[in-house]
Amino acid sequence: MNMSLQQSLFEQLDAIVLIDSHSHINPHAPTSSTLADLLGYHYYTELAHSSGMPKNAIEEPGISPREKVARLFQHLGKIDNTIQWSWFVELSQVLFGFQGDEINLSNWETVYDLAESKMQQADWETQVLATSKVEKVFLTNDFDDPLHNFDTGKYVPCLRTDDLVFHLANPKVRERLRASTGHAVATLADLKESLNALFVRFKNRGAKACAISLPPWFCPKSYPDHSAAAQNALDDLNQQGLQATEGSKRTMAEWVFWKIAECAESFKLPFDLMIGVNRQVYPGGVFQGQDLYDSRVSLIQYSELFNAFPNLPFPISVLASVTNQELVDYAWIFPNVLTHGHWWYSNTPNYIRHDLRGRIEAIPRNKQLGYYSDAYKLEFIFPKFRMYKRILAGILAADFCLGQGWSEDKALSLGKQILRGNVEQVFG
Amino acid sequence: MNMSLQQSLFEQLDAIVLIDSHSHINPHAPTSSTLADLLGYHYYTELAHSSGMPKNAIEEPGISPREKVARLFQHLGKIDNTIQWSWFVELSQVLFGFQGDEINLSNWETVYDLAESKMQQADWETQVLATSKVEKVFLTNDFDDPLHNFDTGKYVPCLRTDDLVFHLANPKVRERLRASTGHAVATLADLKESLNALFVRFKNRGAKACAISLPPWFCPKSYPDHSAAAQNALDDLNQQGLQATEGSKRTMAEWVFWKIAECAESFKLPFDLMIGVNRQVYPGGVFQGQDLYDSRVSLIQYSELFNAFPNLPFPISVLASVTNQELVDYAWIFPNVLTHGHWWYSNTPNYIRHDLRGRIEAIPRNKQLGYYSDAYKLEFIFPKFRMYKRILAGILAADFCLGQGWSEDKALSLGKQILRGNVEQVFG
Amino acid sequence: MNMSLQQSLFEQLDAIVLIDSHSHINPHAPTSSTLADLLGYHYYTELAHSSGMPKNAIEEPGISPREKVARLFQHLGKIDNTIQWSWFVELSQVLFGFQGDEINLSNWETVYDLAESKMQQADWETQVLATSKVEKVFLTNDFDDPLHNFDTGKYVPCLRTDDLVFHLANPKVRERLRASTGHAVATLADLKESLNALFVRFKNRGAKACAISLPPWFCPKSYPDHSAAAQNALDDLNQQGLQATEGSKRTMAEWVFWKIAECAESFKLPFDLMIGVNRQVYPGGVFQGQDLYDSRVSLIQYSELFNAFPNLPFPISVLASVTNQELVDYAWIFPNVLTHGHWWYSNTPNYIRHDLRGRIEAIPRNKQLGYYSDAYKLEFIFPKFRMYKRILAGILAADFCLGQGWSEDKALSLGKQILRGNVEQVFG
C-alpha cells in the first residue's frame, strides 16, 4: 500500500506543469542536435574521464558528433550504475521512444539515429517542453547578454553576476561592462551606475532573479559610502588588471557583491546564492569537470548580509549535504532565507532524500523551492525532475501519510506547493 | 509485521514513566494558562515570523492572549507541514481532548476555549504529568535562583552557568553573584569562593546537574593556580565592565568554566554541555528566535577537559547533526562522555533518526541518555517524547529485531534503558 | 519480496571469494590462540573501558588469557547493543559452532573452551580462511619488516609509511631506516636513496600497495629538488631528534610524504590514504583505544597531490562520514581518486549505509573498492565483511532492483565488482 500510495502521489506530482527556476539553457538553441550534445554534458564527460577515458579523446578538435559518441561509449559502461546515467536512459525512453532498458556499445547507434531523427523535427523544442510539462525555464545570462530574439515569457532571463564579483580584475570583463552599459568603471560611482544600468536592462527584459555561485571562503561585507579602501582596490584593478593584489580583488568582490544585493532589493529581484564551489580544483579535467569544493563553509558567513537585506529573498543552494542542516535552520529563522533545489554534487538521491527530509519537516511550507534542473539542454529537465519527484513522493507517502496520518490530498497539496507554487510566489 | 512490531514496541515504551533530564519549566508556573502560552513558544513565533509574520504583530505589548493567538493563526497555516506544528496538534488531541486532525483559522477558537477550560482546572498540572507519564522534570535555574517554594523532588534543580562563564563582564551579573553568595568578586579567590557557595546551595536544594550552552568557538582551557593572566582579566572586567577587552572576557570564560567543572566534580554533579550555539545571529528575530550556529565545531576542542576530569560525567548535546558522529565516537572512547538527547535544531525526525542510529549501534548502552524535552511548559513534554519514542521504536524494530534477530523483549529492555534507566543511573 | 530479494542477493554476494585489501594481520600468527586474543581487540577493550571498566583491570600485566576474558565479561553486557559486539557473536556461531544467541556472564566459559579447542587444531588458519571465503589478505608492514617466512601470495605485503612521514625526528626511527636500508639519513639525497631501497625490497617481496594514515591538519606539499628548507629541517631532526621544532617536523613530513608518492608512482604501487585521525587524544585510554579526530578536514588539502600524480591511484578512506561526500565527489572528478572501504569510526551500519549509497549512485563502478576488514586476527574478517555485504545487498535490492527496475543479475554484477573485481583490478 505504501508503494501504491507513493506511486499515486508520484503520478499526481508528475502531472503538474513546471517552472524550472534555474537552468543554463541557451534560448537560441534550447534543444540538442545529436546525442553528442547530450553526452557532451559535463556529467558524462567528467565521469567517463574519471573512469579512465583520456581527456583528449573526448575533447579532440574536429571530431564529428557521431565519432565523439562512439568514443564515449567505449567507457560509458563503467558509469552505468550512476544516477546521472539513468537520466540519459530515461530521457531516451520517453523523449526518443527508445524501447530497451540499456544503452551500451551494442545498441548506441540505434539510439543515436532515433535521437537524430527526433531532434531534426521542426517542433522538437515544443515536443520536449510538452512531454516534460515545462512552462517556463529560468536562464543564466551573462551580464552583457543582449537578451534579444527569444520569448522571455518562456525563457526567463536571470542575471548571473559571478564575473562582476569575482573577475572584475580581468580587463575583458571591465571592457564588457563598459561596452554593455556605456559607463566607464574608473570610480565606485561609475561602477554603481553600471550595475544599475544592468539591472534596468534585465528588469526591462523580464528578468525574475539575479544569481551567483560563491566559493567557500567568501564572506559578504558592507563598505561605507565613498569607501577609500574600495576605491583604492578599484584603482588597483584598473591599473594592474589580473596582477592586482589578492586583497584588492577580495575587497572589490565584497563591494560589488553588496552593491548587487542593493540593486536586487531595489529592483525586487530575488538573489539566488549558490554557496560553496571552488573553481578549477582539477585543472586537467574536461570542460566544466574541474570544479570541486571545501565543505568547511558556514552560513554564518552570510549573517551580516541576511540582516542587512530583510526585504530581499535569498533562494539558497548549498553544494554539500553537510551544509544542508544549516540551510534548514537559517531558513527556519530568517524570513528572507529560502531553500532552493538540490545543487550539483548534492543532486543525487542519497543526498536529496536526507536533505529534503530535513527541510520538509522543519521549514515553513511557503519557503521551500523544491527543485530546478540546472540543465544545459531541455531534454534533461524531464529525467532530473522525475528523480526529484520520486523522492518527494516517497517522503510524502512515508513521513506524512503513513507516519502522521495525512490524507493523500493534503500531502499532495504540500508537494504541489514545493514543486511549483512557491516558484510562482517567490519569483513573481 | 514490521509495522505491528514497531507499534507494539512504541506502546510499551510509551507506558514507561519518564524523568525529563532537561527543561526550562518554571516550577512556580509549570503549565500554560491559555493557548497563547503554548503558541508563544519560540518554535511557533519564530516559524510564523520566518513564514512572513512581522515581529511586531507577534510582540506588540498589551495584546490579549486571545488576540495574540488570533494573529498567529493568520500565519500558522504556512507551518502546518512542520514537526513542530505536529507537537501542538498532538498535545491538543491528547491533553485537551480536541477531536479533529487540523487546527486552523476555521476552528482555532474551539481549541482555545477547550484549552482554557482545561487549564483552569485546579489539578491541571497533575493531569498533564499523569497523562504524559512524567515523574520528575529537571529545571534550568539561574545561579541566583533562590530555589524556594517548590517540590524539588518533582522539579529537580539544575545549575545553569552560562551567565557566569560568558557574561561576567556585565556588572549586573557580578552584582547578582555578590548578592546571592555574599562574596565580592575582586580576586580569583573570591570568585572561587562564590562558585563554591553556589554549588553548596544548589546541592543542598537537591540539584542533580549543572549545565551550560557553549558557542562553537569555545575551547576549555586550564589556568595555573593564582594565574596572573586570569587575575588581570578579572581586574579588567571589574574595572571596564562590558568594555573589557575580548581577550579578558575570553580568559575569564575559560577560567570560570574550568572552576565550575572542578566544583561539579567535587559536588558530584554531572556537567551537561550543550555545544555549538551562536547567540543573536538574527538580532531582528522574535524573542528566543535569534540564535543559530556555525557547524564547524569539533569535540577535539574539549579533549583537554575530558582528560582532566575523568570522574566527572559530561552528558553532551550537540546542536548540529554533523557533529553527532564525533559525539558518538568521543562517547565510544572517553568513559566520561555521554550522549544526551537531541537538541533544538537537531530535534526533528530526520536528524534524530540518523543520529540515534549512529549512537545506538556503537556506544555502550549505559552511556546513552535518550531524550529530554527542553520544554518551557509541561504540555510539550508529551508530544516531544512521543516523537522520539516513535523513532526509537522504529529503530529497535528494524535494526535490532528484524535486522539482528533480537526478541521484542530484548529490544524493549534496550529502549527502556536509553529512555529512562540511564537517566536514573547518571543523575542519581 | 524485497526481503527475499535482498536475502538472495546477500547469499550470492556471500558466496564470492574475497581479497581483503587492508588488514593488520600478523602473517606469523594470523589466528587467535584464545578468546583473549579476540576480546583483546581494541574494539572490545575500549568499549568495556568506556562503559566503566578500569584500564588497569584490562591491562594488568601477567593475568592469564582466561582471567582477562573473565574480567571483561563483567562489563561486556553493557556493550551487547553494539554492532562491534555482534561481530563477536556471529563469528562464535559460525567459526566455533556456538549454538546460542547471546554470550554473557552465564555462558562465556563454554564459548572460551569451544574456541580454544578449535584454535588448537592444526588447520585452524585454513578453516577460518575457507569458512570466511578469503583468498588473500593485505598486510600492514612496518618499513623495516624483513617480510620473510610467509606466503606473500596469501598474505600480501603493504608498505606502511606513517613512521617515516611523521616520526622521522625519533632517533629510533632513523636508526631503523639506516639499519634496514644500509643508507645514512644525513642528506635529502640519502633519504631519497633509503626510501627507494625500501620500495625495491617491498616490490621484490610482492607488495601491492603502500599506505599511510594522516591527521586532519596534514596538507601534502611539494618541495623543489635540493630544497634548502627541507635540508635544514632534516638537519634539525638529525641534531635535535624529538626536540626539533614543529616547523622542521612538518617540513620533513611534507617532504617525505611527497617522495613516497613519487616512489609509489615509479614502482606502480597504489597509495592508500587513510585521512583524518588524531592520535592519542585520550592518552589515558587502553592500548589502541586513544585515537579520535577532528572532522573539520577537506580533501581540498590533497588537490595539489592529486594533480601532481595523475597516474598514481589513491584508494582513499576517510574517518568521518561527514567527509564522505567530498570523497564521492573527488572520486567523481579525479581519475586517480578511488573510494576504499569504510574505515574505523565510519565502519558501523548507519554510516556505511549512508556513505555507500552516496558512492554507489554517483561514482564510476570501476572506482569503488567496497570493503576491507582492518582486522588484527583472521577470525574478524568473516563477520565484518558480512555486515558490509548485508548493507550492500539491501542497497542493491532497494535502490537498483526495486527503485530502478534492474534485474537481480545486473545488480549482482555491480555488487561483485565493488566487492572483489575492483580490488583485483586496482592492486593487480
Side-chain angles (χ1 to χ4, degrees), chain C residues 8 11 73 77 100 145 157 181 187 226 255 295 305 319 357 399:
Chain C
S8 169
E11 284 164 15
F73 267 102
D145 187 321
T181 64
T187 66
H226 315 295
W255 191 92
S295 58
L305 181 77
L319 194 55
R357 285 180 113 167
D399 294 357

Side-chain angles (χ1 to χ4, degrees), chain A residues 65-82:
Chain A
R66 190 177 289 263
E67 169 65 15
K68 183 168 187 167
V69 173
R71 290 182 182 187
L72 282 163
F73 266 101
Q74 297 295 330
H75 295 271
L76 292 171
K78 290 177 288 187
I79 72 161
D80 68 2
N81 58 301
T82 64

Side-chain angles (χ1 to χ4, degrees), chain A residues 296-298 300-301 303 307 322-326 328-337 353-355 357-368 399-400 402-406 410 414, chain B residues 3 43 46-47 49-52 77-84 86 101-102 278 281-284 289-296 319-322 344-346 348-351 353-354 390:
Chain A
R296 294 169 301 182
V297 61
S298 172
I300 207 153
Q301 299 165 219
S303 55
N307 280 296
V322 291
T323 318
N324 183 67
Q325 195 190 2
E326 281 200 14
V328 168
D329 300 335
Y330 280 71
W332 162 344
I333 292 297
F334 278 102
N336 52 343
V337 173
R353 194 181 303 112
H354 190 65
D355 295 349
R357 285 179 113 167
R359 295 176 189 180
I360 202 169
E361 71 190 20
I363 308 173
R365 57 192 292 161
N366 62 325
K367 299 183 69 190
Q368 303 183 43
D399 294 358
F400 289 86
L402 294 181
Q404 296 190 50
W406 281 33
K410 190 172 168 188
L414 175 59
Chain B
M3 231 20 200
Y43 283 92
E46 71 203 12
L47 283 169
H49 176 53
S50 171
S51 80
K78 290 177 288 189
I79 73 162
D80 68 2
N81 58 302
T82 65
I83 197 72
Q84 300 93 323
S86 78
D101 286 330
E102 292 188 27
N278 286 109
V281 173
Y282 174 39
Q290 305 176 4
D291 304 336
L292 279 158
Y293 59 93
D294 179 339
S295 58
R296 294 169 303 182
L319 193 55
S321 178
V322 291
W344 200 344
Y345 292 115
S346 287
T348 71
N350 188 54
Y351 298 112
R353 194 180 303 112
H354 190 66
R390 286 189 188 103

Side-chain angles (χ1 to χ4, degrees), chain B residues 88-307:
Chain B
F88 174 68
V89 176
E90 188 164 9
L91 77 84
S92 297
Q93 291 166 332
V94 177
L95 297 178
F96 308 145
F98 168 67
Q99 298 291 322
D101 286 330
E102 292 188 27
I103 306 174
N104 54 37
L105 269 176
S106 76
N107 65 348
W108 71 266
E109 293 208 77
T110 314
V111 182
Y112 193 98
D113 296 336
L114 193 58
E116 198 164 42
S117 71
K118 289 279 187 177
M119 291 165 175
Q120 285 171 357
Q121 294 172 9
D123 66 342
W124 180 237
E125 175 189 350
T126 310
Q127 284 184 47
V128 174
L129 288 170
T131 308
S132 312
K133 301 199 194 66
V134 173
E135 187 182 340
K136 289 174 197 279
V137 180
F138 283 46
L139 308 177
T140 290
N141 302 95
D142 283 341
F143 67 83
D144 55 344
D145 186 323
L147 305 175
H148 284 155
N149 303 321
F150 63 88
D151 175 356
T152 60
K154 185 159 66 176
Y155 297 113
V156 182
C158 172
L159 172 59
R160 182 72 172 229
T161 60
D162 301 46
D163 283 348
L164 297 165
V165 173
F166 295 109
H167 300 293
L168 202 65
N170 188 334
K172 290 179 193 159
V173 172
R174 293 199 306 281
E175 174 52 26
R176 284 167 52 204
L177 182 58
R178 197 206 52 70
S180 65
T181 64
H183 293 281
V185 291
T187 67
L188 297 177
D190 295 337
L191 198 45
K192 211 167 150 181
E193 292 274 347
S194 300
L195 295 174
N196 200 67
L198 295 179
F199 272 83
V200 168
R201 187 161 58 78
F202 269 76
K203 189 77 182 182
N204 285 342
R205 287 293 295 154
K208 295 295 184 196
C210 65
I212 188 167
S213 73
L214 298 149
W217 54 262
F218 190 68
C219 185
K221 187 181 153 186
S222 65
Y223 285 82
D225 281 347
H226 316 296
S227 157
Q231 182 61 56
N232 289 342
L234 181 57
D235 293 345
D236 191 20
L237 264 58
N238 274 315
Q239 289 154 21
Q240 304 297 326
L242 293 169
Q243 270 64 55
T245 67
E246 286 310 305
S248 296
K249 289 175 185 169
R250 185 179 287 227
T251 295
M252 280 319 293
E254 291 162 350
W255 191 92
V256 172
F257 178 87
W258 205 270
K259 285 300 152 203
I260 288 172
E262 288 176 0
C263 290
E265 191 177 45
S266 315
F267 287 84
K268 299 191 187 305
L269 289 182
F271 195 1
D272 297 342
L273 308 183
M274 312 184 81
I275 295 174
V277 64
N278 286 109
R279 301 291 177 183
Q280 291 204 285
V281 173
Y282 174 39
V286 299
F287 177 63
Q288 293 183 333
Q290 305 176 4
D291 304 336
L292 279 158
Y293 59 93
D294 179 339
S295 58
R296 294 169 303 182
V297 60
S298 172
L299 293 188
I300 207 153
Q301 299 165 218
Y302 292 82
S303 55
E304 184 185 347
L305 181 77
F306 300 151
N307 279 297

Side-chain angles (χ1 to χ4, degrees), chain A residues 143-216:
Chain A
F143 69 82
D144 55 344
D145 187 322
L147 306 175
H148 284 155
N149 302 321
F150 62 89
D151 175 356
T152 58
K154 185 160 65 175
Y155 295 114
V156 182
C158 172
L159 172 59
R160 183 71 172 229
T161 60
D162 300 47
D163 284 348
L164 297 165
V165 172
F166 294 109
H167 300 294
L168 202 65
N170 189 333
K172 289 179 193 160
V173 172
R174 293 200 305 281
E175 173 52 26
R176 285 168 50 205
L177 183 57
R178 196 206 53 70
S180 65
T181 63
H183 293 281
V185 290
T187 67
L188 297 177
D190 294 337
L191 198 45
K192 209 168 151 182
E193 293 273 345
S194 300
L195 295 174
N196 200 66
L198 295 178
F199 273 82
V200 168
R201 188 162 57 80
F202 269 76
K203 189 77 182 183
N204 285 341
R205 287 293 295 154
K208 296 294 183 196
C210 65
I212 189 168
S213 72
L214 298 150

Side-chain angles (χ1 to χ4, degrees), chain C residues 270-281:
Chain C
F271 195 2
D272 296 342
L273 307 182
M274 311 183 81
I275 295 174
V277 64
N278 286 109
R279 300 291 176 183
Q280 293 203 283
V281 173

